[in-house]
């Protein structure tokens, strides 16, 4: 049986069968159903209770007498999703009865005016990750409801997880949570709540789909013998093998090192279906929906002189919504690396509110001008502070980040990162943090660092040429080669040296013949800096930053490098200051304001001496 996958153009093949205890091969078929469910529920180790040694296990007596629905992409393809529908004949075995207890279960049905003979149970909706974004979860859920209605159900009951938004997913079909039933269940490692559905009330947002599938249900029914032929034998793990949990592939992302969020606009039907599938997928760990407060901020920021409050404020919000339900307004941003799903204003409104406090320092026309610029950052240790400050302040709407290094434990004294980031490429860490500030930023990363092979693309290719370079790498060859490219292309360069607040500015956009690093290295070119020894690198970097002007602490540290010190001493306070200095310089350069070439010191020890105080 083939039906269109919820408007996504996916022809799902769904087979339905009732498993009766006396049917030929019933035990074998039950085993294969249970293995399919348990393998998906195990989820690479997220729910370890569903694996026992070499076997995936989910044994439930409730399987016998129930209807089972198996979803595939192609008729002869592997099963990628499943849902179960239990009939009143097995009501004594319902999961919801076990969850509540016999007495409370009977009391609930009595209070709802329902009898066990007209109440079905919906359970075990499981879908593999690769099929979730295509709407199979929605399709299977709708099919189970359609089948229940065909079989005479007046109501459906079932338990639902809450950590990934599955309860919200079911509410969109007309299920409602039963008050007072939510509690933590160890096997599922999350809170579970009882949900109740009444057939007479339609199927919420999916009423049309359920009605369509009511007519299709009879054609989907197959015999248990055919179902047994179509389901593959149980999968076993070789004895002694070590199963390494593989993170499920994120929706619309590029693997484990994804840095782009996924944006859903509920006004588009396809996005609504994908969003519903995501909520049901088990991937969402946290839902953050503050859209109504964001709307209040929006209307206030547009007209701060009105002092909107109370009923007048709510009227202004209603006018802004223009008939759209709050939950469908704006966009939902899905961050697969954290499992967070966040509801936000549309892009222009989001940016208007997010940068509202910039006004008075950076006016709206200047904000738009800055967002139109592309910034390159080389070196994401010290450079990460610059990149994050740029993102927060709105200096650039597009970025290129280059660093070959992964985060190490010793980096955590100065990088804004956590222990869960250890081993992750620094470009990825910075890009994720930046898109968590503004999910619409256009970010390209170069996790192999800047090389001869990719340097032309970094400066001029990809999504577009950069307008400004922030250079914060430790490799002398790259420092000079990048400046050679920047000078040839007329791109300004800013650098923070992370000592005494040294800011270096080279305006190659205004001075195309300006000597690299202000002529400090004479006629040295990048070709002269290949295959240097460690001592040569140290000597060269000291020359670059002017060894006569470095701080006493850094000067004392140089002889200890490679002896009592593993590398250059750096502090978080200095890195943070560097982010501020490079951001201030970049903002002025990109807005055409005065910021000449040169070297400038913001030496906090000097500037905060007692004799510099402005008060007695």
């Amino acid at each position: 049986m083939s039906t269109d996958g919820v408007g996504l153009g996916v022809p799902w093949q769904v087979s339905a069968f009732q498993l009766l205890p006396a049917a030929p091969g019933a035990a074998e078929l039950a085993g294969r159903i249970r293995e399919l469910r348990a393998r998906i529920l195990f989820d690479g180790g997220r729910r370890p209770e569903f694996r026992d040694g070499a076997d995936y296990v989910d044994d439930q007596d409730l399987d016998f007498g129930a209807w089972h629905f198996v979803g595939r992409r192609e008729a002869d393809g592997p099963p990628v999703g499943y849902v179960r529908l239990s009939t009143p004949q097995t009501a004594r075995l319902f999961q919801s009865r076990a969850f509540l207890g016999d007495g409370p279960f009977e009391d609930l049905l009595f209070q709802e005016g329902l009898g066990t003979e007209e109440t079905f149970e919906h359970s075990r909706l499981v879908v593999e990750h690769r099929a979730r974004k295509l709407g199979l979860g929605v399709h299977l859920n709708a099919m189970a409801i359609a089948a229940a209605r065909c079989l005479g159900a007046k109501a459906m009951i079932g338990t639902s997880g809450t950590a990934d938004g599955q309860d919200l997913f079911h509410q969109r079909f007309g299920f409602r949570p039963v008050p007072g039933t939510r509690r933590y269940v160890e096997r599922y490692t999350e809170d579970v709540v009882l949900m109740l559905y009444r057939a007479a009330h339609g199927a919420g947002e999916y009423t049309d789909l359920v009605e369509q599938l009511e007519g299709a249900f009879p054609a989907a029914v197959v015999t248990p013998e055919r179902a047994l032929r179509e389901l593959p034998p149980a999968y076993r793990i070789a004895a002694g093998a070590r199963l390494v949990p593989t993170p499920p592939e994120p929706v619309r992302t590029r693997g484990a090192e994804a840095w782009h969020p996924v944006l859903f606009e509920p006004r588009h039907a396809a996005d609504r279906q994908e969003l519903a599938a995501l909520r049901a997928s088990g991937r969402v760990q946290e839902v953050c929906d503050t859209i109504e407060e964001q709307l209040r901020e929006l209307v206030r920021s547009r007209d701060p002189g009105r002092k909107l409050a109370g009923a007048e404020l709510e009227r202004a919000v209603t006018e802004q919504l223009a008939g759209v339900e709050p939950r469908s307004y704006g966009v939902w941003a899905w961050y697969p690396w954290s499992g967070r799903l966040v509801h936000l204003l549309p892009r222009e409104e989001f940016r208007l509110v997010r940068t509202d406090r910039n006004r008075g320092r950076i006016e709206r026309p200047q904000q738009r001008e800055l967002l139109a610029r592309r910034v390159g950052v080389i070196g994401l240790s010290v450079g990460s502070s610059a990149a994050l400050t740029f993102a927060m302040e709105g200096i650039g709407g597009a970025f290129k980040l280059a660093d070959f290094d992964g985060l190490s434990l010793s980096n955590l004294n100065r990088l804004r990162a956590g222990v869960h980031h250890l081993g992750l490429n620094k470009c990825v860490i910075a890009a994720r943090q930046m898109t968590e500030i503004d999910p619409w930023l256009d970010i390209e990363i170069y996790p192999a660092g800047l090389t001869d092979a990719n340097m032309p693309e970094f400066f001029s290719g990809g999504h577009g040429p950069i307008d400004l370079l922030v250079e914060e790498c430790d490799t002398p060859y790259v420092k000079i080669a990048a400046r050679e490219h920047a000078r040839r292309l007329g791109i300004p360069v800013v650098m923070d040296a992370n000592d005494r607040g040294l800011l270096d500015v080279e305006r190659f956009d205004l001075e195309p013949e300006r000597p690299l690093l202000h002529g400090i290295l004479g006629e040295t070119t990048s070709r002269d800096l290949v295959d240097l020894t460690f001592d040569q690198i140290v000597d060269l970097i000291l020359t670059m930053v002017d060894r006569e002007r470095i701080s006493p602490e850094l000067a004392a540290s140089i002889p200890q490098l490679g002896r009592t010190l593993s590398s250059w001493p750096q502090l978080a306070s200095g890195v943070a200051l560097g982010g501020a200095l490079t951001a201030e310089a970049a903002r002025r350069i990109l807005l055409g304001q005065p910021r000449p070439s040169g070297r400038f010191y913001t030496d906090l020890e000097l500037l905060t001496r007692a004799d510099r105080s402005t008060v007695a």
Side-chain angles (χ1 to χ4, degrees), residues 4-25:
D4 184 67
V6 200
L8 298 178
V10 180
W12 292 116
Q13 304 289 333
V14 178
S15 57
F17 56 91
Q18 188 176 24
L19 181 58
L20 298 174

Side-chain angles (χ1 to χ4, degrees), residues 228-299:
L228 184 61
R229 291 195 302 270
E230 293 178 345
L231 277 173
Y235 173 79
R236 290 181 61 84
I237 303 166
R242 179 173 180 264
L243 182 66
V244 180
T246 301
E249 188 72 11
V251 179
R252 281 197 248 162
T253 64
R254 302 178 183 177
E257 292 200 346
W259 70 94
H260 284 301
V262 183
L263 303 181
F264 300 94
E265 297 184 53
R267 61 192 179 93
H268 300 307
D271 278 19
R272 287 198 302 274
Q273 307 305 336
E274 284 200 53
L275 183 59
L278 173 64
R279 284 178 173 272
S281 70
R283 299 297 312 284
V284 179
Q285 301 300 310
E286 180 181 349
V287 177
C288 179
D289 187 355
T290 61
I291 194 66
E292 294 186 11
E293 181 54 37
Q294 293 175 48
L295 284 162
R296 294 185 189 102
E297 279 198 274
L298 173 65
V299 297

Side-chain angles (χ1 to χ4, degrees), residues 37 40-41 43 46-47 50 82-84 95 122-128 132 136-138 140-142 144-145 158-177 182 185 188-196 206 275-287 334 339 341:
R37 289 194 313 242
I40 299 174
L41 284 164
D43 196 9
R46 180 186 170 202
R47 301 184 184 93
F50 288 94
Y82 167 91
V83 68
R84 178 176 63 198
Q95 284 189 160
H122 159 287
S123 59
R124 284 299 194 267
L125 174 63
V126 293
V127 180
E128 288 193 358
R132 291 173 184 174
L136 178 55
V138 171
L140 283 171
N141 210 43
I145 296 171
T159 55
S160 174
T162 59
D164 56 9
Q166 192 176 26
D167 54 329
L168 302 177
F169 169 76
H170 288 305
Q171 287 182 51
R172 302 180 77 155
F173 285 86
F175 282 83
R176 62 176 176 81
R182 178 168 174 160
V185 176
Y188 301 105
T189 67
E190 62 181 305
D191 280 1
V192 171
V193 66
L194 198 69
M195 308 288 290
L196 186 66
Y206 298 105
L275 183 59
L278 173 64
R279 284 178 173 272
S281 70
R283 299 297 312 284
V284 179
Q285 301 300 310
E286 180 181 349
V287 177
W334 159 239
L341 182 64

Side-chain angles (χ1 to χ4, degrees), residues 247-543:
E249 188 72 11
V251 179
R252 281 197 248 162
T253 64
R254 302 178 183 177
E257 292 200 346
W259 70 94
H260 284 301
V262 183
L263 303 181
F264 300 94
E265 297 184 53
R267 61 192 179 93
H268 300 307
D271 278 19
R272 287 198 302 274
Q273 307 305 336
E274 284 200 53
L275 183 59
L278 173 64
R279 284 178 173 272
S281 70
R283 299 297 312 284
V284 179
Q285 301 300 310
E286 180 181 349
V287 177
C288 179
D289 187 355
T290 61
I291 194 66
E292 294 186 11
E293 181 54 37
Q294 293 175 48
L295 284 162
R296 294 185 189 102
E297 279 198 274
L298 173 65
V299 297
R300 286 193 187 110
S301 63
R302 279 179 168 164
D303 192 358
R306 288 181 63 188
K307 310 296 183 187
L308 291 171
E312 186 180 11
L313 174 60
E314 297 309 314
R315 281 195 298 272
V317 168
T318 301
E319 290 174 5
Q320 178 66 34
L321 287 168
V324 178
E325 287 292 323
R327 69 179 179 184
S328 298
Y329 192 85
V331 303
W332 286 86
W334 159 239
Y335 294 95
W337 52 89
S338 65
R340 293 188 179 96
L341 182 64
V342 187
H343 196 180
L344 300 169
L345 295 170
R347 184 181 67 177
E348 299 308 318
E349 295 173 4
F350 170 88
R351 285 177 166 169
L352 184 147
V353 176
R354 197 188 75 78
T355 60
D356 185 56
R357 297 289 292 274
N358 285 1
R359 291 193 300 156
R361 301 294 297 273
I362 310 174
E363 302 302 342
R364 295 284 187 219
Q366 295 174 316
Q367 292 178 18
R368 290 190 290 271
E369 187 175 350
L370 289 171
L371 282 170
R373 300 306 189 100
R374 190 180 306 273
V375 175
V377 183
I378 306 172
L380 272 299
S381 288
V382 174
S384 67
S385 177
L388 291 172
T389 304
F390 282 36
M392 284 188 281
E393 202 160 296
I395 304 171
F399 295 85
K400 295 183 179 182
L401 311 178
D403 198 312
F404 64 86
D405 203 11
L407 182 74
S408 63
L409 185 57
S410 62
N411 294 145
L412 289 180
N413 79 317
R414 62 194 185 280
L415 264 72
R416 181 180 174 269
V419 292
H420 58 292
H421 291 124
L422 290 172
L424 193 61
N425 183 270
K426 293 174 183 176
C427 295
V428 175
I429 296 171
R432 288 179 176 181
Q433 292 172 340
M434 293 164 74
T435 58
E436 287 172 350
I437 295 167
D438 182 342
W440 288 276
L441 291 176
D442 175 7
I443 300 179
E444 300 167 83
I445 68 169
Y446 293 76
L450 206 60
T451 65
D452 289 335
N454 65 25
M455 204 169 294
E457 178 185 331
F458 181 87
F459 279 91
S460 305
H463 296 178
I466 63 173
D467 299 295
L468 179 137
L469 175 66
V470 180
E471 188 280 298
E472 298 292 352
C473 72
D474 297 329
T475 308
Y477 172 80
V478 175
K479 293 174 88 71
I480 300 304
R483 282 172 170 79
E484 290 170 344
H485 271 76
R487 183 171 63 179
R488 186 164 56 250
L489 297 170
I491 297 171
V493 179
V494 298
M495 175 186 74
D496 166 68
N498 197 232
D499 184 60
R500 295 190 60 208
L502 169 57
L503 172 70
D504 188 279
V505 180
E506 295 168 278
R507 294 299 303 270
F508 297 128
D509 54 326
L510 303 179
E511 304 165 84
E513 303 300 323
R514 186 175 183 84
L516 303 183
L517 284 170
H518 320 290
I520 290 173
L521 297 183
E523 298 300 316
T524 301
T525 69
S526 59
R527 291 189 299 273
D528 301 320
L529 305 179
V530 179
D531 297 327
L532 299 179
T533 66
F534 176 76
D535 289 340
Q536 289 173 323
I537 291 173
V538 171
D539 184 69
L540 188 64
I541 291 179
L542 284 174
T543 302

